[in-house]
Amino acid sequence: MQVLIVKTSSMGDVLHTLPALTDATQAIPSIRFDWVVEENFAQIPSWHPAVDKVLPVAIRRWRKHWFGSQQREERVLFKRELQSRQYDVVIDAQGLIKSAALVTRLTRGVKHGQNSRSAREPFASWWYDQRHEIDKKQHAVEHTRELFAKSLGYEKPQTQGDYAIAAHFLREAPQDAAPYLVFLHATTRDNKHWPESYWRDLIALLQPSGLRIKLPWGAEHEHQRALRLAEGFAYVEVLPKLTLEAVARELAGAKAVVSVDTGLSHLTAALERPNMTLYGPTDPGLIGGYGQNQYALCPSQGDSMADISTQVVAERLEKILG
């Protein structure tokens, strides 16, 4: 059976789709997947052993200059590639009008998605041949697992979902590397940041542990923050700018991770590394870290990240490290 997945973004949403593929391969051993995904996240689907082909799409970039000649040419080429294969089933796991109208509508195959009561944007269901009622009051991973089970005709397993990508990176991890932590300090919204002074206090508290600390970054302002956090601490390493796969290798080798609410926190969960995620204005219940050894830490009152004390984080981290 050949299945096309339409799940374009964001990083966390793409990662949250992986356990559904694992369920499907266990229920239907012959099943294989192609996957339409935003170009920035195109590496992620390729890590799953059931994915044959990744079709990068650039809706985010195209929308900035929709009528530009380069953008039109890229859309023509994408449509040609998308329609070059007939699929048994197409699953739109995005549930948005833009994915349904710009991608799913163009595919060759029976189109499955959420019905108008379940989809994030109800009108997206207009473009599906088969519409499924999915319980919205469950974690995003379970939501997608249910959609795949109903689309492909098997019972959703009651066991915890398996991302099935950790082995891809653990095979490459050096066995003699000195133990280290990774601090994921960067996120998109200002009110989801933990104060820099708190990060530096935590780094100082960890000096007696003998553990190295690695700080990844993406944009230049995140690089500058990492440099400020590392200043004066010889055991803290600011990593060079890395590809997503290279960041995943660093996370896969970490003894533990401390993170704010960011896509890389979900990648840590997918890699089955112990991870303590600090939440302020966001509720971890439906979109938090999913998997083994995932810990959420929220303010005891209110939703300010500044209300999460360094001492509490240090104590929780000590328990995680054992």
Side-chain angles (χ1 to χ4, degrees), residues 177-211:
Y180 63 88
L181 307 174
V182 174
F183 285 178
L184 300 176
H185 57 93
T187 187
T188 52
R189 283 167 42 190
D190 288 343
N191 62 349
K192 290 163 62 173
H193 281 292
W194 203 39
E196 290 185 24
S197 61
Y198 289 25
W199 281 114
R200 285 184 56 82
D201 289 344
L202 180 61
I203 291 169
L205 286 171
L206 289 169
Q207 184 171 10
S209 71
L211 293 166

Side-chain angles (χ1 to χ4, degrees), residues 170 250-257 267-276 292-294:
L170 292 176
E250 295 288 354
L251 292 170
K255 190 173 180 65
V257 177
L267 178 55
T268 306
L271 294 169
E272 301 177 356
R273 303 313 303 147
N275 179 26
M276 179 167 53
Q292 302 178 30
N293 303 314
Q294 301 304 301

